[in-house]
Amino acid sequence: MELYNGRPENTEGRLPREIRTYDFLDSLGIEYGRTDHEPANNMEACNEIDAILGVLICKNLFLCNRQKTNYYLLMMPGDKKFKTKELSSQINSARLSFADAGAMLHYLDIEPGAVSIMGLMNDKDHAVRLLVDEDVLKGEYLGCHPCVCTSSLKMKTRDIIEKFLPATGHRYETVHLSGED
């Protein structure tokens, strides 16, 4: 794996959703580092990607309420534990669970394993609420996927908050997750 600046020179074989992500970031003037890799299916692989990017990749969870009427994208540090009860009380939504792959594709144009804040550019109806753990906001940089699980990006957190989110029409809500058992 290598760290590259910006989009790939050759886009052959890459999915349209990935290219749209680079197009969107470039149109906003957001600089980003990128590395290409095999899908990361264990923590060892994730740690290698983190080391190349020089940042802890965010854990992105796509959640819904029991009725499947409210959808949430939760960004939290990758090394923090998630407890639904702790989050549910903060957002007044009982019985949170992981949303299914169909909803993920419908709202974010993302498949399992590639969930990312970048998917909000595809949520034109603003059906997904973005929840960000306070510790993510403390970092100068954050890491995420460009809507595919075979590449990862490093961007300034400030650019995501001040440029990316306004361009998508989304706001974020800060949450506190203790990460404790």
Side-chain angles (χ1 to χ4, degrees), residues 72-89:
Y72 309 90
L73 177 61
L74 171 64
M75 292 179 66
M76 59 188 288
D79 58 353
K80 203 177 239 194
K81 291 184 181 183
F82 172 63
K83 293 184 294 189
T84 58
K85 185 177 180 183
E86 186 177 35
L87 180 62
S88 294
S89 65

Side-chain angles (χ1 to χ4, degrees), residues 2-4 33-35 37 48-57 141-144 152-154:
E2 290 184 48
L3 182 61
Y4 302 96
R34 175 187 52 82
T35 190
H37 50 78
E48 284 182 46
I49 296 165
D50 290 355
I52 294 291
L53 293 175
V55 67
L56 183 66
I57 292 184
Y141 292 93
L142 62 80
C144 66
S152 295
L153 305 176
K154 173 184 179 177

Side-chain angles (χ1 to χ4, degrees), residues 3 9 61 64-65 83 92 95-97 122 124 141 150 161-162 166 168 175 177-178 180:
L3 182 61
E9 290 180 23
L61 305 177
C64 64
N65 62 354
K83 293 184 294 189
N92 298 318
R95 310 280 292 205
L96 286 176
S97 64
N122 302 312
K124 305 295 185 201
Y141 292 93
T150 52
I161 300 301
E162 296 175 4
T168 67
V175 295
L177 302 173
S178 68
E180 299 170 2

Side-chain angles (χ1 to χ4, degrees), residues 2 12 16 87 119 123 130-131 156 179:
E2 290 184 48
E12 189 175 317
L87 180 62
D123 179 26
L130 176 61
L131 310 172
K156 289 187 177 180

Side-chain angles (χ1 to χ4, degrees), residues 24-26 28-33 117-118 136-137 139-142 154-168 170 172:
F24 193 69
L25 292 172
D26 292 347
L28 298 173
I30 294 177
E31 294 180 8
Y32 52 94
I117 190 171
M118 296 292 112
V136 170
L137 298 171
E140 182 179 0
Y141 292 93
L142 62 80
K154 173 184 179 177
M155 294 168 281
K156 289 187 177 180
T157 305
R158 187 179 68 234
D159 285 344
I160 295 299
I161 300 301
E162 296 175 4
K163 295 179 183 178
F164 178 82
L165 288 177
T168 67
H170 286 81
Y172 70 94

Side-chain angles (χ1 to χ4, degrees), residues 5-24 26 32 34 36 146 148 150-151:
N5 287 320
R7 67 186 309 122
E9 290 180 23
N10 181 357
T11 59
E12 189 175 317
R14 293 183 186 262
L15 293 175
R17 64 174 63 115
E18 179 182 4
I19 304 308
R20 281 195 313 270
T21 302
Y22 302 136
D23 291 344
F24 193 69
D26 292 347
Y32 52 94
R34 175 187 52 82
D36 298 322
V148 295
T150 52
S151 292

Side-chain angles (χ1 to χ4, degrees), residues 89-105:
S89 65
Q90 292 180 58
I91 62 171
N92 298 318
S93 179
R95 310 280 292 205
L96 286 176
S97 64
F98 292 99
D100 62 44
M104 191 181 300
L105 194 59

